[in-house]
Amino acid sequence: MVPKMRMIANKGLLQIFFALLLVAIIMFVSNYMVYRNSISGIYNQVSENNKLVVKNMIRTFDDSFKNINDIIYTIQLLSYNAWKTGDGNVDMSDAYMTYSNLRSLASSSEYIEEVIVFHNGSDLAITTSGTIQLPELLRKKYVNPSYNSEFWKTLAKTKHPLKVFPAEAYTDDSPVGVSRKLIPIIGSNQISELNVLVFLNYDKMLRHVNQESMMKGTSLIVMDQNRNMILNTEDKWNLVDMLYDLNLGTNQEETLKNKDFEYNVFKSDYNGFMYINKTPYQFADMESVSGVNRQIMMIAIACAVLLSALLSLYLYRPVRTLVKLIGIRDAKGADYRQIRSGIARMQEENESFKTQVDVFRAEMRKAVFQNSLLGISSPKETEQRMQRYFPEFAQSGYFVLAEFRLREKNEDEKGSSVWLEEMAVSIHGGLQGTGETVSVFPTGYGKCYVHIGIRRAADREPIVKQLRAFVRQVKEEAWSGLSSTVAVSRAFAAEPANCHKAYRDLTDCFEYRNIDSDDAVIDFQTIRYTWKVYAPLDDIEKASRFLVIGNVEECVSIVRDIFAKNEERHIHRYQLVSVAKTMLYDMLKHLDASDVEPKHIVALEASFHVETEAATGSDDIRDALIRSIRAIGETGGKAGQKSKLDPSSIARYIATHYYKDLHLDHMAEKLETSPKYFSNYFKKTFGINFIEYLNKVRLAKASELLKTTEQTVAEIGEKTGYQNSSTFTSTFKKYYGISPSDYRKNSPPEAPPSEGGINK
């Protein structure tokens, strides 16, 4: 008993039951409203249709009366007159011809029961069956207490128009006494002495006018122009009360309402007859139909309650299972709010899981793409993943690979991953439609790779044009604060192995691009190779000496000049980077022998590498080198304050006193050390011994004087520290390979120094 009570009191079960019951009640109410409205609507529609039916019946009545009038008129105009003698005798020949015409005329209308022609001066009547005495005919076939032979003969003696008499029952004199309801019509005798009496069959007449098409429960009255009733389809209809209550007007068509009925009154244009259609406010037998419908609804309600209870029990089991699945502990007290919140939580978890799966798939595609770019030989599992994910972004027959290198202007650090993802979305949206498929892969460090699928290799050129247009547009609008460079590979067949080839194309684009080019899109197929690199070792060494002695600006001036010469020669980026690195390492060697800690030198070198790697043009590489030069000058100057054995101080002293008689003893005394220690220290620090270094400084100054002045060789040798001209000449020839005089001849004034190195 207790478990049953618990089940009854269970919230979930009751909620299911009342929810189903509510649905059943709503369905019942809605069906009832539809039923009520539909009955009313159907009735209105049927009522309107009934009016149209009645109007059509009136036209048929008018046509029928016209037809009868025409038949009567035709008979009266026949040239055969059986009573032409005027003495009561009949001409049988004319009678026969009249009989023949009567049969022909009467047979044209099915509702004509009989046509009788008689004359005032004779009892003989001609019918469609032959000749017969009028009293005998009426006594045998058309017996009616009101309309006998005397009535018709009396009426025939007076002049009258066509008259239609009410439909009444007429019997014959047979033993059975067959009764027929007929409508008598007697023709006008105002223009003819012949009297024509036509009997219309009531039932056939109603069938002829299609009375069955009238709405059930309606009635029709036909009245002549004198308001005498001719035809009435309802026997119990009290005509007197109806006419008294309705107060009919003179309009051709009226609608009047009285009690439970609506009366539609129509007046004929042909003969002035009045037709009254009586219509109830509701369908006939509606109460019985409504009663049956109410019974059906009550049964439906009972069935709905029973079905709700059964369905509640049936649905309660899966609900309990659902409650357990979503983790509600108290399953007996759980209601649908708890279930709904549990389902919502599961949906959130599913959405989160779906998002994680999408992220995982994107990362897998990215990893597959990167492996393809780098040409990494993958293990079997990775190879299977590549076969699965590679076709997702390589659906076309060919592809073009593009690389975007982006960084914010005036910023040393690359953009964050969020910033790069936003740029990737912008690139994907801007390039959508350039090829059959577009896939963008941000890889960090301001780089985005774009895989563009094309149908044919010849479609590459339009892709490059669209890339240029896109980059030009975003640089002016969305990317105005960014520095961007784009490289485009050749077109390759869509195979994993070709991704690495395309990647090599992109690498070559950035390395071999012309350093003075301002084109934001580097096309691999338009690169023009050159090897005219300007790297004068003597100028590089001179710049290094200027830096050592602390003359940073002179060093920077030489660097700018070397960069300008290379820009004029349109060399490649990687070549200019190599020249810059050569100059940097020639200057860093002076810090290696100083008291500067190695970690500072390593940091300086690493910073230079990062800046040159991110550099997009000659100005960026030059500025990175100049910043490193200034940093070296500051670092060397600070280290020189700690000890007299400082490379900067030594180089500065030699640069300013090279023309004097400098020797090891003098330098050792100046630096407060022994000649031997100074010699070892100098060679370790500068890479060459003191005498060679001194000769290079003196000869560098001498070469400038040879090119820029008219002084003699002896004068130049004396000014640069040599005691006699022979020593100067032999030393110059040893290092330069030619004599000072020949050097002056071969080097025009103001010409730059030779690109070759100094022969040791």
Side-chain angles (χ1 to χ4, degrees):
M1 185 67 180
V2 175
K4 291 183 179 179
M5 292 301 296
R6 287 181 178 177
M7 181 175 291
I8 294 174
N10 188 279
K11 290 183 180 179
L13 182 62
L14 291 176
Q15 286 177 340
I16 295 175
F17 173 74
F18 285 118
L20 293 174
L21 186 60
L22 179 62
V23 171
I25 292 174
I26 293 174
M27 291 178 62
F28 165 74
V29 173
S30 61
N31 287 336
Y32 181 75
M33 295 300 296
V34 170
Y35 161 74
R36 295 289 296 177
N37 293 331
S38 62
I39 290 296
S40 176
I42 292 173
Y43 174 78
N44 292 334
Q45 184 64 41
V46 171
S47 178
E48 291 298 322
N49 292 340
N50 184 67
K51 289 182 181 180
L52 298 177
V53 169
V54 172
K55 289 181 179 180
N56 188 58
M57 290 175 62
I58 292 171
R59 285 193 293 270
T60 307
F61 269 118
D62 286 348
D63 292 341
S64 300
F65 288 135
K66 287 179 184 178
N67 184 40
I68 298 299
N69 187 49
D70 291 342
I71 291 174
I72 293 173
Y73 185 71
T74 301
I75 293 172
Q76 290 177 340
L77 293 180
L78 288 174
S79 59
Y80 314 107
N81 189 351
W83 298 275
K84 60 185 176 180
T85 58
D87 55 1
N89 296 320
V90 178
D91 186 341
M92 296 307 295
S93 175
D94 287 349
Y96 177 78
M97 295 303 297
T98 302
Y99 153 75
S100 298
N101 282 276
L102 286 182
R103 286 180 60 88
S104 175
L105 292 171
S107 62
S108 62
S109 301
E110 61 178 0
Y111 49 84
I112 295 178
E113 180 76 14
E114 184 62 274
V115 179
I116 303 171
V117 181
F118 63 95
H119 193 272
N120 290 336
S122 174
D123 288 336
L124 183 68
I126 302 174
T127 68
T128 57
S129 301
T131 58
I132 189 173
Q133 294 295 317
L134 180 63
E136 182 182 0
L137 172 64
L138 295 177
R139 187 178 63 254
K140 287 184 176 182
K141 297 185 66 175
Y142 303 103
V143 178
N144 183 278
S146 301
Y147 305 105
N148 52 23
S149 61
E150 291 300 326
F151 173 82
W152 296 116
K153 292 187 72 173
T154 302
L155 179 63
K157 291 178 181 180
T158 61
K159 296 295 182 180
H160 59 81
L162 183 143
K163 294 187 65 175
V164 182
F165 292 88
E168 292 190 11
Y170 291 81
T171 59
D172 57 19
D173 61 351
S174 64
V176 180
V178 178
S179 177
R180 293 159 297 168
K181 198 170 185 179
L182 303 176
I183 303 173
I185 300 176
I186 188 166
S188 172
N189 61 359
Q190 294 176 348
I191 60 174
S192 175
E193 295 180 353
L194 294 180
N195 297 288
V196 181
L197 178 62
V198 180
F199 285 99
L200 305 182
N201 189 295
Y202 176 86
D203 295 328
K204 291 182 179 181
M205 187 66 178
L206 292 182
R207 284 197 298 271
H208 177 69
V209 298
N210 197 18
Q211 186 258 349
E212 293 179 352
S213 62
M214 291 175 60
M215 186 174 69
K216 187 177 181 181
T218 62
S219 304
L220 180 67
I221 289 180
V222 181
M223 303 174 67
D224 64 10
Q225 61 270 29
N226 298 320
R227 301 297 185 267
N228 297 315
M229 186 178 68
I230 297 172
L231 183 148
N232 184 5
T233 60
E234 182 181 346
D235 295 335
K236 298 180 181 180
W237 195 352
N238 191 327
L239 181 60
V240 177
D241 293 341
M242 183 270 294
L243 293 175
Y244 177 78
D245 293 337
L246 289 182
N247 189 21
L248 297 175
T250 59
N251 297 328
Q252 291 295 111
E253 180 177 342
E254 291 184 89
T255 299
L256 306 172
K257 295 183 179 180
N258 180 267
K259 297 181 180 179
D260 296 332
F261 296 93
E262 180 180 88
Y263 298 91
N264 299 305
V265 182
F266 306 93
K267 189 175 181 180
S268 172
D269 295 331
Y270 168 65
N271 52 17
F273 281 19
M274 184 175 292
Y275 299 84
I276 303 175
N277 176 226
K278 177 183 176 184
T279 306
Y281 282 153
Q282 62 180 5
F283 290 125
D285 302 329
M286 179 56 65
E287 188 61 32
S288 60
V289 173
S290 300
V292 173
N293 191 69
R294 283 193 292 270
Q295 292 179 3
I296 294 174
M297 289 185 177
M298 295 304 296
I299 294 172
I301 291 175
C303 292
V305 173
L306 179 61
L307 184 61
S308 298
L310 294 176
L311 285 176
S312 300
L313 295 174
Y314 177 75
L315 294 175
Y316 180 63
R317 291 184 179 179
V319 169
R320 289 181 60 186
T321 304
L322 180 62
V323 167
K324 292 180 180 179
L325 288 175
I326 62 179
I328 299 177
R329 295 181 179 179
D330 186 11
K332 295 180 179 179
D335 60 7
Y336 277 92
R337 286 177 297 180
Q338 293 175 304
I339 295 175
R340 183 173 58 187
S341 62
I343 293 175
R345 185 174 64 254
M346 291 178 64
Q347 289 177 338
E348 291 177 358
E349 293 174 354
N350 287 339
E351 289 296 328
S352 176
F353 177 73
K354 183 179 178 181
T355 302
Q356 293 176 3
V357 170
D358 292 340
V359 172
F360 174 76
R361 286 179 59 85
E363 290 299 323
M364 289 302 302
R365 292 173 69 244
K366 183 177 178 180
V368 167
F369 179 74
Q370 289 178 336
N371 288 342
S372 301
L373 289 186
L374 301 176
I376 299 174
S377 56
S378 306
K380 185 176 181 180
E381 182 180 357
T382 306
E383 189 68 28
Q384 292 175 351
R385 291 176 180 172
M386 184 172 293
Q387 292 176 359
R388 176 182 177 184
Y389 291 105
F390 185 80
E392 291 186 10
F393 58 85
Q395 301 174 7
S396 305
Y398 292 84
F399 74 93
V400 172
L401 196 63
E403 179 182 350
F404 283 73
R405 291 191 179 182
L406 310 169
R407 66 185 180 93
E408 294 180 296
K409 293 179 179 178
N410 303 322
E411 292 289 339
D412 294 333
E413 297 294 330
K414 307 291 188 302
S416 65
S417 59
V418 176
W419 172 80
L420 197 58
E421 289 291 342
E422 293 176 354
M423 293 299 101
V425 172
S426 174
I427 293 170
H428 187 273
L431 297 181
Q432 193 70 32
T434 55
E436 290 190 343
T437 58
V438 177
S439 300
V440 182
F441 300 93
T443 59
Y445 298 102
K447 296 181 181 180
C448 283
Y449 290 94
V450 183
H451 184 285
I452 304 175
I454 55 178
R455 186 173 301 175
R456 301 169 302 170
D459 295 337
R460 178 186 180 278
E461 292 306 317
I463 295 295
V464 175
K465 291 181 180 179
Q466 293 176 20
L467 268 174
R468 293 184 190 278
F470 168 72
V471 173
R472 192 181 307 113
Q473 178 183 356
V474 295
K475 273 193 170 184
E476 296 174 355
E477 299 173 0
W479 294 1
S480 58
L482 297 177
S483 173
S484 60
T485 308
V486 184
V488 187
S489 72
R490 293 170 291 177
F492 292 93
E495 298 175 1
N498 288 333
C499 284
H500 181 62
K501 296 179 181 178
Y503 174 73
R504 290 302 312 162
D505 282 2
L506 298 180
T507 303
D508 291 345
C509 281
F510 285 105
E511 293 298 326
Y512 286 93
R513 72 176 184 268
N514 298 114
I515 201 63
D516 61 332
S517 174
D518 57 354
D519 192 352
V521 177
I522 308 168
D523 186 355
F524 179 83
Q525 296 185 175
T526 61
I527 294 176
R528 297 295 178 264
Y529 298 96
T530 182
W531 290 271
K532 299 178 181 179
V533 181
Y534 179 70
L537 297 182
D538 51 348
D539 285 357
I540 293 174
E541 189 169 347
K542 184 190 297 183
S544 179
R545 288 199 301 271
F546 277 127
L547 182 61
V548 169
I549 64 176
N551 195 346
V552 176
E553 296 306 322
E554 285 293 335
C555 177
V556 169
S557 177
I558 294 174
V559 169
R560 292 183 186 277
D561 181 66
I562 293 174
F563 270 78
K565 294 291 193 301
N566 280 301
E567 288 176 3
E568 293 174 0
R569 299 173 183 229
H570 309 294
I571 68 171
H572 302 303
R573 175 189 176 280
Y574 86 96
Q575 294 170 339
L576 187 62
V577 171
S578 299
V579 173
K581 288 181 178 180
T582 300
M583 289 189 281
L584 177 71
Y585 287 124
D586 193 70
M587 298 170 188
L588 283 177
K589 68 183 180 181
H590 299 295
L591 291 181
D592 186 33
S594 66
D595 294 335
V596 179
E597 295 184 8
K599 64 179 182 180
H600 294 304
I601 301 176
V602 171
L604 184 64
E605 179 187 17
S607 175
F608 176 76
H609 281 300
V610 170
E611 291 185 24
T612 53
E613 183 69 23
T616 58
S618 173
D619 293 343
D620 296 334
I621 300 173
R622 182 194 61 215
D623 294 343
L625 179 59
I626 291 174
R627 281 193 293 271
S628 298
I629 289 173
R630 296 188 186 281
I632 292 172
E634 293 177 3
T635 304
K638 293 178 181 178
Q641 297 173 3
K642 299 178 182 179
S643 173
K644 290 186 177 181
L645 286 176
D646 171 50
S648 299
S649 301
I650 296 172
R652 190 181 306 111
Y653 184 83
I654 295 173
T656 55
H657 298 84
Y658 65 90
Y659 55 88
K660 294 182 179 180
D661 184 17
L662 299 181
H663 47 80
L664 283 175
D665 293 339
H666 174 79
M667 294 299 297
E669 181 181 355
K670 191 71 176 175
L671 298 173
E672 299 178 356
T673 185
S674 65
K676 184 177 181 180
Y677 181 82
F678 173 75
S679 177
N680 293 334
Y681 171 81
F682 192 95
K683 188 170 185 178
K684 179 181 178 182
T685 302
F686 291 91
I688 57 176
N689 60 44
F690 171 71
I691 299 300
E692 288 184 356
Y693 183 85
L694 179 61
N695 283 331
K696 286 186 177 183
V697 173
R698 288 173 172 175
L699 294 177
K701 183 63 176 177
S703 64
E704 290 183 11
L705 294 174
L706 287 170
K707 291 185 292 184
T708 59
T709 68
E710 297 296 332
Q711 298 177 17
T712 64
V713 173
E715 290 174 341
I716 292 174
E718 184 178 354
K719 283 188 175 183
T720 55
Y722 292 99
Q723 299 297 326
N724 51 67
S725 61
S726 60
T727 303
F728 169 63
T729 300
S730 61
T731 305
F732 191 94
K733 190 173 183 179
K734 175 182 177 182
Y735 283 91
Y736 283 86
I738 57 176
S739 65
S741 300
D742 294 336
Y743 180 84
R744 171 174 279 175
K745 293 177 182 179
N746 296 333
S747 299
E750 302 299 329
S754 171
E755 295 183 17
I758 299 176
N759 296 323
K760 297 182 180 180

